[in-house]
Amino acid sequence: MKNLLPAIFIFVILFTACSKGEAPHINEEQEVKVHYDTTAIDSFSTGAVSVDIARKIRMSSPQYLDSVKQVKKAMEEEKKLKVELEKENKLKEAEEKKKTDAEKKKKASETVSASETKTE
């Protein structure tokens, strides 16, 4: 009886340790999305086009070329407007400088004439 209890204990430990555990469940039905570089489903079928080639085709289309021209025109117009605004600002600054210079000269001449009248 003394030997039977440790033997049962060892047997239970070995039985649980060597028992087959459940394999982790991998859901094989799960969809895996793969990114292909072709537009057709089968890259060997007729009509399969590389993404790079499809991009070149789109870029050479008349709509794309027209949109590029419109963007260029808009950029040129913006540049012209900026140049015109800068010219106008420079002219305004020049006029303001002339006015301030004229006012300074006028004040200077008034102070000189006022000092001359005081001395007389």
Side-chain angles (χ1 to χ4, degrees), residues 34 36-50:
V34 181
Y36 293 106
D37 64 341
T38 57
T39 55
I41 295 172
D42 183 13
S43 62
F44 298 106
S45 68
T46 56
V49 178
S50 171

Side-chain angles (χ1 to χ4, degrees), residues 51-70:
V51 172
D52 295 328
I53 294 172
R55 183 173 177 263
K56 288 180 184 177
I57 291 170
R58 273 185 261 126
M59 289 178 74
S60 66
S61 71
Q63 292 174 347
Y64 179 79
L65 295 175
D66 289 343
S67 66
V68 169
K69 288 178 184 176
Q70 289 175 352

Side-chain angles (χ1 to χ4, degrees), residues 2-40:
K2 289 182 181 180
N3 291 337
L4 188 62
L5 207 52
I8 292 174
F9 181 70
I10 291 173
F11 180 72
V12 169
I13 290 175
L14 287 175
F15 182 71
T16 56
C18 294
S19 68
K20 242 186 182 179
E22 292 183 21
H25 294 287
I26 298 174
N27 191 358
E28 294 176 10
E29 295 175 12
Q30 200 173 31
E31 265 187 55
V32 177
K33 293 184 180 181
V34 181
H35 176 70
Y36 293 106
D37 64 341
T38 57
T39 55

Side-chain angles (χ1 to χ4, degrees), residues 70-85:
Q70 289 175 352
V71 169
K72 285 183 181 178
K73 285 182 183 178
M75 291 175 68
E76 288 175 1
E77 289 176 7
E78 287 179 14
K79 286 181 183 178
K80 287 180 183 177
L81 289 174
K82 286 181 182 178
V83 169
E84 289 176 8
L85 286 174

